[in-house]
Amino acid sequence: MDFSILFVQILTGLAYGMLLFMIAAGLSIIFGIMNVINLAHGTFFMLGAYVAFTFINQHAGFWVALLLSVLAVAVMGVLVERFLLSRMYGKTFEQILLTFGLMYIFTDLVKWIWGSSPQTLPVPPMLDFSISAGVVQFPAYRLFVVAVGCIVAFFLWYFETRTRIGAIVRAGVDDREMLGALGINVKLVFTGVFTFGAALAGVSGTLGGPILGLYNGMDADILIFSLVIVVIGGLGTWRGSFIGAILIGMIETLGQIWFPSLSMVLVFALMVGVLLVKPSGLFGKGVEA
């Protein structure tokens, strides 16, 4: 294989990994600080893409559609957390049933509103060109997605290490009960964390629309990869999600080229290997009961 072709495939895997990172980081933080197994997290990814699709069809433009779709998904996150999940804290089995049910409800709602035909989002005109990489061309939009993922990672690092809210989130991951003992409004923290995670999923869904397309069942597909990344990276850590997403993005992309019938096997083999060597994940601190 020509080196330039391999380079392009690595960039493609990196772009896919950045999309996975943005959704898995939110899922991991929600899991780590709230101890909530949110099986509806892929729904926020799907809603972000379909809401943006609607605004673009109304001639709103890609960037306006991105902003509005993320706001819509964030509002949905607030409503789900405040009116549904908040009643289920400490009830793991009920949380699983609730979020599992929400996933099916929203899947049917999407099918009812937007139909079952696959759709796609257009690439924004300013990024609708390719960059030469030897004998092949690489879409500039995918480089943009890689850049956005790196910016999100930097933002999360700064947020975690340089801000008071980041310190509260870190404390919540280590010891949730301590937050209440310090007089911190735990309900507000939970709502903020859940909304932030939902918004990140919305960003990923909208940015992923031109690459992955829109189709029924996209929420379940992305959720499976997100859960694998959380297991590999560890709970409550964006660093683990970042490394895990890059690994899964690379394995899935390169595996589809070299071992198309084994790409999923390789993904889960990596997860099993990490669990055997470090059950809490590469950057995790273990699960609090």
Side-chain angles (χ1 to χ4, degrees), residues 205-230:
T206 304
L207 292 181
I211 298 176
L212 305 175
L214 287 64
Y215 57 93
N216 297 143
M218 62 188 293
D219 53 337
D221 290 347
I222 204 73
L223 177 67
I224 292 172
F225 283 116
S226 301
L227 290 172
V228 170
I229 290 167
V230 170

Side-chain angles (χ1 to χ4, degrees), residues 110-177:
V110 166
K111 190 182 300 182
W112 178 56
I113 296 173
W114 286 283
S116 56
S117 300
Q119 305 288 350
T120 187
L121 295 182
V123 173
M126 64 182 296
L127 295 172
D128 193 11
F129 62 94
S130 297
I131 298 173
S132 176
V135 297
V136 295
Q137 302 285 315
F138 189 76
Y141 179 75
R142 299 196 181 204
L143 285 179
F144 169 75
V145 171
V146 174
V148 171
C150 293
I151 291 171
V152 169
F154 176 80
F155 169 76
L156 290 175
W157 167 80
Y158 184 85
F159 180 79
E160 180 188 51
T161 61
R162 295 289 190 273
T163 67
R164 181 173 180 272
I165 297 177
I168 292 174
V169 171
R170 287 203 313 275
V173 172
D174 292 334
D175 189 343
R176 290 188 298 277
E177 285 72 20

Side-chain angles (χ1 to χ4, degrees), residues 19-288:
L19 292 174
L20 293 174
F21 161 62
M22 284 183 271
I23 183 173
L27 181 64
S28 178
I29 294 172
I30 290 171
F31 208 163
I33 193 171
M34 299 171 64
N35 202 21
V36 168
I37 304 172
N38 182 21
L39 296 181
H41 198 67
T43 298
F44 297 129
F45 176 89
M46 176 178 65
L47 287 177
Y50 273 100
V51 172
F53 175 76
T54 297
F55 284 117
I56 289 175
N57 278 350
Q58 298 300 317
H59 309 290
F62 184 87
W63 306 113
V64 174
L66 171 64
L67 177 63
L68 294 177
S69 65
V70 172
L71 286 175
V73 173
V75 170
M76 184 61 67
V78 171
L79 296 176
V80 169
E81 196 281 333
R82 279 290 78 204
F83 295 103
L84 297 175
L85 269 180
S86 62
R87 304 168 187 271
M88 304 291 176
Y89 289 140
K91 303 175 182 176
T92 303
F93 184 66
E94 287 83 351
Q95 289 172 4
I96 293 174
L97 289 178
L98 172 66
T99 55
F100 195 62
L102 285 175
M103 184 177 72
Y104 274 97
I105 290 172
F106 279 107
T107 296
D108 282 348
L109 281 175
V110 166
K111 190 182 300 182
W112 178 56
I113 296 173
W114 286 283
S116 56
S117 300
Q119 305 288 350
T120 187
L121 295 182
V123 173
M126 64 182 296
L127 295 172
D128 193 11
F129 62 94
S130 297
I131 298 173
S132 176
V135 297
V136 295
Q137 302 285 315
F138 189 76
Y141 179 75
R142 299 196 181 204
L143 285 179
F144 169 75
V145 171
V146 174
V148 171
C150 293
I151 291 171
V152 169
F154 176 80
F155 169 76
L156 290 175
W157 167 80
Y158 184 85
F159 180 79
E160 180 188 51
T161 61
R162 295 289 190 273
T163 67
R164 181 173 180 272
I165 297 177
I168 292 174
V169 171
R170 287 203 313 275
V173 172
D174 292 334
D175 189 343
R176 290 188 298 277
E177 285 72 20
M178 183 180 68
L179 291 181
L182 293 174
I184 295 171
N185 188 334
V186 177
K187 290 183 178 179
L188 184 61
V189 172
F190 278 18
T191 301
V193 166
F194 194 85
T195 303
F196 178 73
L200 263 185
V203 172
S204 180
T206 304
L207 292 181
I211 298 176
L212 305 175
L214 287 64
Y215 57 93
N216 297 143
M218 62 188 293
D219 53 337
D221 290 347
I222 204 73
L223 177 67
I224 292 172
F225 283 116
S226 301
L227 290 172
V228 170
I229 290 167
V230 170
V231 171
I232 291 173
L235 301 177
T237 164
W238 67 267
R239 291 184 181 85
S241 297
F242 187 71
I243 300 300
I246 291 175
L247 289 173
I248 296 302
M250 291 292 180
I251 291 174
E252 172 65 6
T253 302
L254 297 179
Q256 289 287 352
I257 298 171
W258 292 331
F259 312 103
S261 60
L262 295 176
S263 61
M264 287 298 288
V265 174
L266 294 174
V267 168
F268 284 98
L270 175 63
M271 184 186 74
V272 172
V274 171
L275 282 175
L276 290 175
V277 176
K278 198 169 186 298
S280 60
L282 297 176
F283 295 86
K285 298 178 180 177
V287 181
E288 186 178 344

